[in-house]
Amino acid sequence: MQFPHRYSRKQDIEISGLLTAIMSFGNRRQILKKADELHMRMGDSPYLYVMSRRWEQDFPATECNSFYRMLSHADFYTYFARLHDAYSRFESLEDALLNYSGTPMERLCAFWKYPPKALRRN
């Protein structure tokens, strides 16, 4: 994956790798084109982009138009919101995922569905 290799900070690599993986289906040229567009929006640091909340303007929660294939702008709003929540409470996505049980894939799937224990409201 060429996109995460653009960065050296752990958080930038995590965000880049995860979002690129989510988009990695379909025609290779289209994947690269849209992943490049996403990374251009995020700029020099996906982590700073997430924490600045600029994604709220770039990917409005109400915009159901496609960003890439069946993934809408609203879908990316949701992805960025979950990442913002995680990075607001944990040093890394890796640390956030430690709050879940199961295999790494089960942890990642649970991350998208449920807030980590530290985020849950009782």
Side-chain angles (χ1 to χ4, degrees):
M1 294 208 320
Q2 65 181 333
F3 296 99
H5 290 294
R6 296 178 179 180
Y7 309 102
S8 57
R9 180 191 286 175
K10 180 179 185 169
Q11 295 89 341
D12 291 330
I13 294 167
E14 290 175 335
I15 295 166
S16 174
L18 183 59
L19 294 178
T20 302
I22 288 170
M23 297 173 55
S24 292
F25 62 93
N27 179 284
R28 182 178 183 277
R29 274 183 274 167
Q30 276 301 106
I31 295 167
L32 294 175
K33 177 183 173 188
K34 292 307 275 189
D36 193 47
E37 180 182 332
L38 176 65
H39 283 79
M40 298 237 339
R41 287 187 190 197
M42 292 190 295
D44 293 335
S45 174
Y47 173 73
L48 293 178
Y49 179 81
V50 167
M51 299 312 291
S52 73
R53 301 180 78 114
R54 285 195 334 255
W55 45 270
E56 291 176 319
Q57 287 79 44
D58 293 344
F59 297 95
T62 57
E63 189 166 335
C64 295
N65 294 340
S66 173
F67 176 73
Y68 174 68
R69 298 181 62 108
M70 64 187 170
L71 300 174
S72 70
H73 286 81
D75 290 329
F76 277 89
Y77 179 97
T78 302
Y79 300 147
F80 283 118
R82 284 296 294 121
L83 290 167
H84 184 271
D85 286 346
Y87 285 110
S88 293
R89 291 166 176 84
F90 299 97
E91 183 68 23
S92 67
L93 182 57
E94 180 180 12
D95 292 342
L97 293 178
L98 292 175
N99 287 274
Y100 301 97
S101 60
T103 66
M105 183 55 77
E106 289 169 337
R107 289 174 181 214
L108 186 59
C109 290
F111 168 77
W112 291 123
K113 285 181 147 181
Y114 311 106
K117 290 175 190 164
L119 300 174
R120 289 188 185 143
R121 290 174 173 70
N122 293 332

